[in-house]
Amino acid sequence: MGEYMKTRLLSTAMLALLAASPAYAASYVKADFSSGIFGGNANVRDPLRNPYFPSDTFTGSFVFDADQVPAAGSGFANVAFSSLPDLANIPAADAFKFNFGSYVFSLADDPLAMIQYNNGKFNGFVFNTTFNFEGSNYLFKLNGGSLTVQSEADPFGQPYINGYTNIGNQSLTNAATYVPATSAVPEPAAWALMLVGFGFVGGAMRSAKRRQKLTVSYAKA
């Protein structure tokens, strides 16, 4: 095999190895959203009145799969974060994050959380978790476009905080393509390409060794 063919063979192997990078099964988008407490003192009860106040606003972000957004006219639909094909490669704080004053909630606080849509448009979340404030536990809930905080000891009692999440696609800001972290374990298709590449490299090395064995040197008499 000539040097030209060997170079082509090795180049092909390198291309096969480079092509073995992970392929993601979805079109991910990361966007920001906003929430807040309704105005009026009745929407914040003691002991949460400090540090929370009526008309306080909050921010958050989440990752969604554009291919999973329901079609227009489909009514209400919930899409679980757990259905994201590459969720294992998306940090919990990237998948969902909510800045609730001094508390920061992520998908790790409710792995069963869902994104809600109404006729194909963003309609909030289904998210439930707990937090401790001054020795008492409270339930933090997002249900569609509503936000409530209730006593864990009295989950059906009057909420301590009443608020909202801004819904509708126009309420999502800074939307941008999101690329999950690189997987440490290649997908099956990637493995196949890598094996092809290694095969080319191995074949080239065996051919080179055979040429070395067939080379005969003659010494002058």
Side-chain angles (χ1 to χ4, degrees), residues 84-208:
L84 296 178
D86 302 290
L87 183 61
N89 296 320
I90 302 176
D94 281 358
F96 177 84
K97 183 179 181 180
F98 189 92
N99 302 299
F100 188 56
S102 60
Y103 298 88
V104 178
F105 303 128
S106 75
L107 187 62
D109 295 301
D110 182 9
L112 301 180
M114 296 179 283
I115 307 167
Q116 187 174 101
Y117 295 94
N118 183 13
N119 293 319
K121 294 184 179 181
F122 172 68
N123 199 68
F125 304 93
V126 178
F127 180 89
N128 299 278
T129 190
T130 61
F131 67 96
N132 184 279
F133 179 75
E134 294 185 348
S136 296
N137 290 331
Y138 295 88
L139 299 172
F140 174 89
K141 300 180 180 180
L142 296 176
N143 187 10
S146 69
L147 180 160
T148 58
V149 175
Q150 294 172 280
S151 169
E152 186 177 42
D154 186 15
F156 301 105
Q158 182 181 357
Y160 282 78
I161 291 178
N162 286 296
Y164 60 91
T165 294
N166 289 313
I167 60 176
N169 290 346
Q170 72 278 4
S171 295
L172 298 179
T173 59
N174 300 319
T177 299
Y178 179 84
V179 179
T182 302
S183 174
V185 180
E187 296 182 0
W191 274 117
L193 286 171
M194 289 175 69
L195 290 173
V196 170
F198 287 135
F200 281 138
V201 173
M205 293 177 67
R206 287 193 297 271
S207 297

Side-chain angles (χ1 to χ4, degrees), residues 24-43:
Y24 296 107
S27 301
Y28 296 109
V29 177
K30 186 175 183 180
D32 296 337
F33 66 93
S34 59
S35 295
I37 298 175
F38 291 122
N41 290 333
N43 291 301

